[in-house]
Amino acid sequence: MSQARATHPTRRGLLVAGGALGLGAALAACGDGKGKDSDTGTAAKNGKSGPWSFKDDRGTAVKLDKVPANIVAFTGVGAALYDYGIQVKGVFGPTKTTAGKPDVQAGDMDVSKLTVLGNTWGQFSIEKYASLAPDVLITTMFDDAGSLWYVPEESKKKIAQLAPSVGISVYDRPLTEPLQRMWSLAESLGADMKAAKVTDAKKRFEDAAARLRAAAKAKPGIKVMAGSASDQLFYVSGSNLSIDLEYFKSLGVNFIEPPESAKKQGGGWYESLSWENIDKYQADIIMMDDRTSAIQPADITKATWKKLPAVKAGQVIGRSPEPILSYDKCVPLLTSLAEALEKAKKVG
């Protein structure tokens, strides 16, 4: 599925192979990628004007004379900021499905009101981007080299000339860290983080986390497998590197872990299995990639899939490998897994 670059898959190949399940390719960029000692950002509050600054997870400090008004962002980032009351002007990344409906990564945004610079991998209209007179570009990073997600490698220099960029790392850390970084970014952009909608969502997240921890503790023997489906291959993700799985594991969820040697071709993210061999791991619950780049469980026709104990038992749930980084959107991720664990029977 993936095309090799040296000994690692390309980002395009990894996207086809289940997106963030396999973003192990390290492309040239600067920064430590861990976001240590990062600023929470400073900005105008309550209608006041700039200046504005924010230190991102590459260690890059972006400074502007005023709070950014024309924001362009990766779709999922735009959706997270929207939940905090910050609206972006343009987006790039999965925004609309082939049927014209909002992509799962668009969250609650009205996509009809957005300028879409590109809807699929490799698409990014520099002309449209320039027409928006962008103040800042914001996206995530899925490696430790500081590569900006969905910003095409071949045009990144031209894109960088039009506006500064902010990168939020979603690589090899628990979900709570990028959630807090997005919170800080939204606050720096002028969001009201004391609004009831915002504080209530954070409280619901904390309650959902406590529920998942209790469910995992009550059923430590239940094994969970994170998978993603394509026409030719089935991908089993390890719990390291992925922000959601790392966090769920810290709450006590018992994940099936492919050996490191098996994940080598997947950049350390996942193991590739042929459909004939998907019974290699006996899972009690299967979490399946919910993005449009992956085949959804209802559309899988492979006989070997239907024979899996978890599938036969109806113990298959969705998973968001690229979570929208607002507390509101992450609550269902915790709740869904907690409910599955509470109801699960040992079948694997």
Side-chain angles (χ1 to χ4, degrees):
M1 290 294 294
S2 59
Q3 302 172 353
R5 174 181 292 175
T7 57
H8 299 288
T10 63
R11 284 199 297 176
R12 167 62 183 169
L14 293 171
L15 180 77
V16 174
L21 281 177
L23 302 172
L27 302 181
C30 62
D32 61 9
K34 288 293 183 179
K36 295 179 181 179
D37 301 322
S38 295
D39 294 341
T40 58
T42 57
K45 298 294 188 297
N46 301 320
K48 297 180 181 179
S49 59
W52 178 83
S53 69
F54 189 86
K55 190 174 182 181
D56 76 356
D57 291 341
R58 297 168 297 182
T60 300
V62 178
K63 299 180 180 181
L64 299 174
D65 292 336
K66 60 180 181 179
V67 178
N70 296 337
I71 301 171
V72 174
F74 173 70
T75 305
V77 171
L81 293 175
Y82 183 87
D83 285 349
Y84 292 129
I86 304 297
Q87 298 193 36
V88 302
K89 294 292 182 66
V91 295
F92 53 95
T95 307
K96 298 179 182 179
T97 66
T98 53
K101 296 181 179 180
D103 188 273
V104 64
Q105 295 193 62
D108 294 333
M109 292 189 296
D110 184 347
V111 298
S112 68
K113 296 181 179 180
L114 295 171
T115 297
V116 181
L117 309 183
N119 198 63
T120 60
W121 184 261
Q123 291 183 349
F124 192 110
S125 173
I126 297 178
E127 292 75 17
K128 286 185 179 179
Y129 183 52
S131 72
L132 293 173
D135 294 321
V136 67
L137 178 149
I138 309 173
T139 187
T140 49
M141 302 182 297
F142 279 95
D143 60 30
D144 59 1
S147 306
L148 298 177
W149 188 227
Y150 265 81
V151 173
E153 182 73 10
E154 62 274 13
S155 54
K156 66 179 185 181
K157 290 184 179 180
K158 291 182 179 179
I159 293 169
Q161 291 173 355
L162 294 172
S165 61
V166 168
I168 300 297
S169 181
V170 288
Y171 175 77
D172 194 18
R173 64 203 62 211
L175 175 62
T176 46
E177 290 187 22
L179 267 176
Q180 186 55 51
R181 293 292 287 143
M182 192 62 71
W183 173 289
S184 298
L185 177 59
E187 185 175 34
S188 80
L189 293 169
D192 181 2
M193 310 314 283
K194 294 182 180 180
K197 178 183 177 181
V198 174
T199 57
D200 288 352
K202 191 172 184 180
K203 178 61 166 58
R204 286 189 289 108
F205 177 89
E206 293 166 351
D207 291 344
R211 179 181 176 182
L212 178 54
R213 186 189 296 277
K217 184 177 181 180
K219 294 187 177 179
I222 296 295
K223 293 185 178 181
V224 180
M225 179 169 71
S228 184
S230 72
D231 287 330
Q232 301 298 321
L233 296 170
F234 184 85
Y235 308 93
V236 180
S237 179
S239 65
N240 61 322
L241 303 186
S242 298
I243 57 173
D244 61 328
L245 302 186
E246 281 199 12
Y247 183 54
F248 299 157
K249 183 179 181 180
S250 74
L251 295 176
V253 178
N254 182 8
F255 283 104
I256 285 173
E257 301 283 0
E260 291 301 317
S261 58
K263 295 188 295 180
K264 189 174 182 180
Q265 287 191 333
W269 292 80
Y270 63 86
E271 176 182 5
S272 304
L273 297 174
S274 67
W275 282 101
E276 290 74 19
N277 295 318
I278 63 170
D279 60 354
K280 177 178 180 179
Y281 301 110
Q282 296 299 306
D284 301 300
I285 296 173
I286 302 176
M287 302 175 68
M288 290 296 290
D289 188 340
D290 68 356
R291 292 167 300 170
T292 51
S293 59
I295 299 175
Q296 297 307 299
D299 299 320
I300 299 175
T301 59
K302 307 289 186 181
T304 49
W305 164 259
K306 296 180 179 180
K307 291 179 181 178
L308 292 178
V311 176
K312 293 170 69 175
Q315 297 181 170
V316 178
I317 63 173
R319 177 201 167 204
S320 299
E322 292 185 61
I324 293 173
L325 296 173
S326 72
Y327 287 101
D328 178 71
K329 293 300 181 291
C330 287
V331 169
L333 312 184
L334 295 165
T335 302
S336 175
L337 184 52
E339 288 179 348
L341 283 169
E342 291 164 356
K343 298 176 182 177
K345 296 179 180 179
K346 185 68 180 175
V347 296

